[in-house]
Amino acid sequence: MNFAPSPEVVQNNVLATLNGQDQRWRAYANTFPTGYGVPSGAMGQWLNGFPAMVWPIEQLRPLAGWLWQQGYPAALQQLNTRLQEIYKARDVYISMYNNQVQHEANLAGIMRGAVAFNTTQIMAATNRQNVVFQNWLTDMFDINENRCRDCHNGIGIPGGGYCYACAKRRGWVW
């Protein structure tokens, strides 16, 4: 007595299992994170779960191959068709992930540029304020210590001013 199931029964079981795995895959595919602001890390996590979804389907390949040898090609044909669709979908998801990574890199570059520009502007403004303060401080010392405002030599005039040489150089005297 032979209690082994007939190839037709095995094919029906394989096709039913394939349909169940296909529904499981489609449910997983519907959870792919998309939309504005979805980080590439979430997409990468989803892609890391991809092999676990495909592995049970791939496990049907030897049995489908055996059925094909027995003259029942439907299981292998459907398996190959579905795996081809799944791997095409995976390629699309990988492309979406790569695009998001590129987008995030571009945004990071823009932010780095903005931070560098702001830092440069702040440093320039700070330097300008320091120069203005140093000039003011020097002027105050010149005024308080009766010195020339150009060469900073003592001139003995209360409130400071300009020595004869500096005034001549400016064209104020001959």
Side-chain angles (χ1 to χ4, degrees), residues 66-108:
W66 176 80
L67 286 169
W68 179 75
Q69 290 174 348
Q70 301 299 315
Y72 292 89
L76 186 61
Q77 290 169 348
Q78 283 193 25
L79 178 74
N80 287 338
T81 301
R82 289 190 181 165
L83 284 174
Q84 187 178 19
E85 290 172 0
I86 288 171
Y87 286 123
K88 281 182 184 178
R90 179 203 58 190
D91 292 344
V92 170
Y93 293 131
I94 288 173
S95 175
M96 291 169 68
Y97 167 77
N98 289 336
N99 289 341
Q100 183 64 21
V101 167
Q102 183 64 42
H103 176 70
E104 289 172 2
N106 290 343
L107 284 179

Side-chain angles (χ1 to χ4, degrees), residues 14-150:
V14 168
L15 291 174
T17 303
L18 185 58
N19 286 334
Q21 291 300 329
D22 189 52
Q23 288 175 4
R24 186 171 162 249
W25 155 250
R26 291 182 191 284
Y28 183 70
N30 288 333
T31 65
F32 185 77
T34 60
Y36 182 76
V38 172
S40 62
M43 291 178 175
Q45 244 179 342
W46 187 93
L47 287 170
N48 285 339
F50 177 84
M53 290 293 118
V54 176
W55 180 248
I57 298 171
E58 287 282 359
Q59 292 301 303
L60 296 173
R61 188 177 294 282
L63 196 51
W66 176 80
L67 286 169
W68 179 75
Q69 290 174 348
Q70 301 299 315
Y72 292 89
L76 186 61
Q77 290 169 348
Q78 283 193 25
L79 178 74
N80 287 338
T81 301
R82 289 190 181 165
L83 284 174
Q84 187 178 19
E85 290 172 0
I86 288 171
Y87 286 123
K88 281 182 184 178
R90 179 203 58 190
D91 292 344
V92 170
Y93 293 131
I94 288 173
S95 175
M96 291 169 68
Y97 167 77
N98 289 336
N99 289 341
Q100 183 64 21
V101 167
Q102 183 64 42
H103 176 70
E104 289 172 2
N106 290 343
L107 284 179
I110 290 169
M111 291 304 292
R112 278 191 303 276
V115 168
F117 176 78
N118 285 339
T119 302
T120 302
Q121 293 300 309
I122 290 169
M123 293 301 292
T126 302
N127 289 340
R128 174 74 181 130
Q129 287 175 342
N130 287 340
V131 167
V132 168
F133 175 75
Q134 285 299 325
N135 289 342
W136 175 82
L137 188 62
T138 302
D139 284 346
M140 288 298 105
F141 279 116
D142 288 345
I143 291 169
N144 289 332
E145 296 176 3
N146 304 327
R147 296 187 300 190
C148 173
R149 289 182 150 182
D150 278 350

